Amino acid sequence: VSTQSTGERVEIKDVRLPANLQRAMAAEAEAFREAKAKEIAADGEKNAATALKEASEMMMLSPCAIQLRYLQTLTTIASEHNSTIVFPVPVDLVGTFLNTKMPYLMQGRPETSLAGGPLPSHMEDAEE
């Protein structure tokens, strides 16, 4: 520490503070750290909310985007918890992804695959 008036330099080696002053200083430092942590958490929440808003706007542009996100979430859950999730898939949904109408499913005639082409020969034999 130097003094401004004389320019002398003084070194402080040992300072003893009363216990109550030490506690007060520690409490002030802890309060400052907690306030800073809350500020950082609030900024993170704000950024997350902004990102969710942007993602929802993007998903509204594509009808399949929400379904794909749902499937991605299921995959993540299953892989993190080492589990299998079974859920029904509507035929209409499969048709949407394969971009085909599937009248053979409605009529009970499985002469074509879901992709619209003929069934592989080993599957034709199984159907008869």
Side-chain angles (χ1 to χ4, degrees):
V1 178
S2 63
T3 60
Q4 289 186 357
S5 60
T6 62
E8 295 178 21
R9 189 169 175 100
V10 177
E11 189 175 319
I12 300 174
K13 290 187 176 187
D14 188 22
V15 176
R16 295 183 188 208
L17 299 173
N20 61 351
L21 181 57
Q22 288 177 4
R23 284 191 297 275
M25 291 173 69
E28 181 182 2
E30 180 67 22
F32 178 78
R33 285 191 298 271
E34 287 178 6
K36 192 68 175 167
K38 287 180 182 179
E39 183 180 328
I40 290 169
D43 284 343
E45 289 291 327
K46 180 181 173 187
N47 292 341
T50 301
L52 281 172
K53 179 181 177 254
E54 290 173 5
S56 69
E57 289 170 354
M58 291 174 76
M59 284 188 191
M60 286 182 355
L61 299 175
S62 173
C64 292
I66 293 174
Q67 187 65 32
L68 290 172
R69 181 64 181 124
Y70 171 70
L71 294 172
Q72 183 182 26
T73 302
L74 287 176
T75 302
T76 302
I77 291 170
S79 66
E80 287 177 357
H81 300 290
N82 195 20
S83 60
T84 301
I85 298 174
V86 178
F87 63 99
V89 178
V91 174
D92 296 353
L93 178 66
V94 174
T96 301
F97 284 114
L98 296 175
N99 215 6
T100 180
K101 306 267 189 225
M102 293 179 278
Y104 58 88
L105 288 178
M106 302 304 187
Q107 298 170 1
R109 291 184 297 160
E111 62 264 2
T112 59
S113 70
L114 289 178
L119 285 173
S121 60
H122 72 280
M123 291 183 73
E124 287 176 357
D125 295 338
E127 293 295 326
E128 295 174 357

